[in-house]
Amino acid sequence: MAKVDFKKAKNITKAGAPVERDVKWTVEVTQENIEQLKAVSDNPKIEIGEQLELEGQVFVRRMSFKASREASKAFEWDFDVQDIEKSKVKSVDSDHLQASQILGTICEDSKGTPFFSSIQDVYDSDPSFINALYKVADEVNNFMGKLVTKNSKETNSSVNSSSTESVEAPSKKQNKK
């Protein structure tokens, strides 16, 4: 482990510059979006009701402390004031968790300009698009907690097994806050 002088390492401690990723998703052609889809796809022959596959570039940044604090609001805790280590998660608002992770990481440019302006903007988006964004954001931020080896893309699923346990029976391995 390398020891660092914090005064000299200030830039290393920042969340970092966004990285470019390709994102693919499918959208249904509707009366409301047909003209824009014809323009962006350079395909004047598309018709209402078709499923159109789109691809584009987004920028994904590492989740900052501020963004992770917003994501932590998705957890409701049952605190044990006598022994804080025995506190348990009562519930998780998975919609808020995923929306805040996307809000905090997806950018429209390499400068880090947020793509979405609010969690409501994420909620109002097409699920196919949000799922595609979440996938690329997870690749950069490892939201799911999977271990990826350097020589393989295989994951160690046992590391993340505690996240699938029910809220009523939280894992003993759960991180304490």
Side-chain angles (χ1 to χ4, degrees), residues 31-161:
Q31 185 65 40
E32 292 79 24
N33 66 16
I34 190 166
E35 293 307 318
Q36 188 175 15
L37 288 172
K38 284 179 179 181
V40 299
S41 68
D42 290 328
N43 182 356
K45 297 180 181 181
I46 62 173
E47 296 179 9
I48 294 174
E50 273 186 66
Q51 296 290 317
L52 189 63
E53 188 170 299
L54 300 175
E55 180 178 355
Q57 284 75 41
V58 296
F59 291 84
V60 183
R61 66 177 167 209
R62 302 278 311 155
M63 197 162 189
S64 68
F65 176 76
K66 182 179 180 181
S68 67
R69 296 303 297 163
E70 180 61 37
S72 73
K73 293 177 183 176
F75 297 90
E76 183 179 352
W77 287 88
D78 182 13
F79 289 105
D80 183 333
V81 292
Q82 306 301 331
D83 185 355
I84 200 73
E85 296 293 317
K86 292 183 180 177
S87 297
K88 298 177 182 161
V89 174
K90 285 198 301 191
S91 66
V92 178
D93 181 344
S94 59
D95 291 341
H96 183 88
L97 180 61
Q98 187 174 17
S100 61
Q101 289 169 328
I102 290 170
L103 175 67
T105 60
I106 300 297
C107 306
E108 62 185 41
D109 57 30
S110 62
K111 296 176 187 170
T113 305
F115 184 84
F116 296 100
S117 60
S118 69
I119 286 182
Q120 190 60 48
D121 283 350
V122 178
Y123 287 156
D124 291 342
S125 296
D126 181 85
S128 174
F129 181 59
I130 293 302
N131 289 338
L133 290 178
Y134 187 80
K135 182 179 176 183
V136 296
D138 185 44
E139 289 171 3
V140 172
N141 286 279
N142 197 17
F143 297 135
M144 301 303 288
K146 297 174 187 169
L147 290 180
V148 179
T149 63
K150 289 184 180 181
N151 297 328
S152 170
K153 289 196 174 203
E154 294 179 25
T155 60
N156 182 347
S157 62
S158 66
V159 172
N160 197 31
S161 63

